[in-house]
Amino acid sequence: MLNLGIIYGVFSFANLLAPTVVAVIGPKCTMFLSGLLYSGYIAVFIIPSTWSFYLTSVLIGIGAAMLWTAQGHFLVENSEASTINRNTGVFWALLQCSMLFGNLYIYFDWNGKTEISDSSRKNIFVSLLVTSVLGTLSFLVLRKSHHAEELLSEEEGQSLLSPRTIYKQRANSAVEDAKLEFRTMLQLLKTKTILLLSPCMAYSGLELSFYSGVYGTCIGATAQFGASAKGLIGISGIVVGIGEIVGGGLFGLLCKNNRFRRTSVVFLGMLVHFVAFYFIFLNIPDDAPVVFYTSSQSKPYLAPSVSIALLCSFLLGLGDSCFNTQLYSILGCVYAEQSAPAFAIFKFIQSVFAAVAFFYSGYILLKWQLLLMVILGFTGTLCFFVVERVQNLSVDLPEY
């Protein structure tokens, strides 16, 4: 959990500078550089060492901030009001396929093993490294945005200028773009829409840390699951991925883009998560998150059931897709002209709360973690409804 806390802690504050990087070098180059940092983090696990592990944890936190901001900006640049929801749904479904295929590979390759050999570890991380490098190279062949095409036309018109003059103009333009993006982000932080969406963004960070780290640990620490408890961690990750993919595909492809639908999906996400939290409260021992080296000692209210545990995994993934796809959708619609700083603020708030949750999750009983998410989830949903209502009444009015 410590390295995740480091990653999300660095990720949080790197988001403040990410829009500047995107403005200076563009979303495609930003995504490419971020991909290289991700590849470096994976490569460390082939020949691991403590210093390189923590160093790359810091670097991948920086890379993640640039990547999420750049891909959000690129997504909005290549979408319209009628396609933003479809595109965010497809993006989210493809993103979450990693949870499905990665966990399936681990489950079948490591199933029944009590100790992971060096060769097996190297094989999986070499495979992941090759996949990461190929994915990183694919960023270079993405289509040019309208803004990039306009810049290219301007450069062609200035081809008669000396190289020194052109370089000076580019440097001055990059500095001005960086200042503008930072000022825009500070302005957006004060707007009513961002302030109202903040609880929903914060909740997405808490539940991100819960389904990606805490819940699997809880399942593995449940003594009543016996020898299969550790194996269920991988299966739980697979089922969470299925829930994410179903949610992304369903809400992105089958539903039309309108405000009523967004509020409906967020409300569904809240209900789905609250049902999952209730069953987790009944099915998982209360001390499961705080057990480090032994199995849990307390008894839950119900006899722990594998079926209920995996159902909750699916509901956690489905609910997460509800919140994230709709947050992407509303930010893309409201801040189409300021997409990079808007997405940077979203990931900043989300990652701050995720980092805090990763740090406290090993010290607080399960029931209090669930209660905190219920309170923040309910508040965030209400605030999301208010934003939709305000935008519906003043859709044609600028916010500042």
Side-chain angles (χ1 to χ4, degrees):
M1 293 291 183
L2 178 59
N3 76 301
L4 290 175
I6 293 172
I7 290 172
Y8 277 94
V10 175
F11 180 27
S12 303
F13 294 99
N15 277 301
L16 299 176
L17 300 176
T20 300
V21 177
V22 175
V24 172
I25 65 176
K28 282 177 59 175
C29 289
T30 303
M31 289 188 286
F32 176 74
L33 292 177
S34 301
L36 294 180
L37 293 178
Y38 271 77
S39 300
Y41 179 75
I42 295 170
V44 163
F45 289 89
I46 299 175
I47 306 177
S49 63
T50 303
W51 70 268
S52 61
F53 178 65
Y54 287 115
L55 174 62
T56 52
S57 294
V58 173
L59 294 178
I60 198 176
I62 298 172
M66 295 192 299
L67 179 62
W68 280 98
T69 302
Q71 65 191 11
H73 180 72
F74 187 84
L75 186 67
V76 172
E77 271 196 337
N78 291 278
S79 301
E80 299 175 356
S82 58
T83 60
I84 182 66
N85 226 39
R86 181 201 66 190
N87 293 346
T88 54
V90 172
F91 161 72
W92 194 256
L94 291 174
L95 170 69
Q96 299 303 331
C97 283
S98 60
M99 295 188 66
L100 176 62
F101 299 126
N103 282 297
L104 275 174
Y105 180 90
I106 294 298
Y107 177 74
F108 287 111
D109 188 53
W110 293 2
N111 187 31
K113 295 182 179 178
T114 58
E115 185 176 335
I116 307 303
S117 64
D118 285 344
S119 61
S120 181
R121 173 179 51 79
K122 289 181 179 179
N123 287 338
I124 181 63
F125 283 108
V126 167
S127 301
L128 290 173
L129 179 59
V130 171
T131 304
S132 177
V133 170
L134 291 177
T136 300
L137 292 175
S138 70
F139 287 136
L140 298 177
V141 297
L142 292 174
R143 59 179 289 185
K144 289 184 174 65
S145 64
H146 299 303
H147 179 64
E149 291 175 353
E150 291 173 0
L151 291 178
L152 185 62
S153 299
E154 290 179 3
E155 289 178 359
E156 291 174 352
Q158 297 175 347
S159 57
L160 298 177
L161 299 176
S162 66
R164 182 177 180 180
T165 303
I166 294 175
Y167 177 79
K168 187 175 181 180
Q169 288 181 347
R170 287 179 179 176
N172 291 334
S173 177
V175 171
E176 290 303 316
D177 287 344
K179 291 179 179 178
L180 178 62
E181 289 295 317
F182 191 73
R183 286 197 299 266
T184 301
M185 187 169 63
L186 294 179
Q187 288 177 322
L188 292 184
L189 279 169
K190 304 174 186 177
T191 60
K192 179 171 55 179
T193 298
I194 292 294
L195 292 175
L196 284 172
L197 286 176
S198 293
C200 194
M201 297 174 182
Y203 172 70
S204 71
L206 291 189
E207 54 96 3
L208 164 66
S209 67
F210 186 78
Y211 80 75
S212 64
V214 179
Y215 187 55
T217 302
C218 291
I219 291 178
T222 302
Q224 290 84 347
F225 289 149
S228 63
K230 297 297 185 287
L232 289 174
I233 297 175
I235 299 177
S236 174
I238 294 170
V239 178
V240 169
I242 293 173
E244 295 275 12
I245 295 168
V246 169
L250 181 65
F251 306 132
L253 297 177
L254 301 183
C255 300
K256 294 181 180 180
N257 189 296
N258 57 69
R259 289 185 172 77
F260 175 76
R261 193 196 67 76
R262 270 202 295 259
T263 53
S264 301
V265 173
V266 170
F267 184 70
L268 174 63
M270 183 190 71
L271 289 182
V272 165
H273 270 178
F274 285 4
V275 170
F277 296 157
Y278 178 67
F279 281 118
I280 291 171
F281 173 71
L282 296 177
N283 193 55
I284 300 295
D286 196 31
D287 62 349
V290 300
V291 177
F292 295 102
Y293 301 109
T294 60
S295 295
S296 57
Q297 302 298 318
S298 65
K299 293 183 179 180
Y301 291 93
L302 300 177
S305 167
V306 173
S307 299
I308 293 177
L310 295 181
L311 172 63
C312 292
S313 298
F314 176 81
L315 295 178
L316 288 174
L318 180 63
D320 181 66
S321 69
C322 291
F323 281 97
N324 278 280
T325 56
Q326 302 318 301
L327 281 170
Y328 263 84
S329 176
I330 193 170
L331 289 174
C333 288
V334 177
Y335 297 111
E337 300 300 322
Q338 304 97 14
S339 56
F343 284 113
I345 292 171
F346 169 36
K347 301 310 294 186
F348 170 72
I349 296 172
Q350 184 186 62
S351 54
V352 164
F353 279 82
V356 171
F358 276 121
F359 279 115
Y360 74 60
S361 61
Y363 304 96
I364 299 179
L365 295 176
L366 180 61
K367 62 184 176 184
W368 300 119
Q369 296 190 41
L370 295 174
L371 178 61
L372 179 59
M373 287 191 291
V374 167
I375 294 172
L376 193 55
F378 183 74
T379 304
T381 301
L382 286 181
C383 291
F384 191 96
F385 281 21
V386 173
V387 171
E388 282 290 300
R389 178 63 176 169
V390 170
Q391 291 302 317
N392 191 35
L393 293 175
S394 58
V395 64
D396 296 322
L397 297 178
E399 197 163 325
Y400 61 89

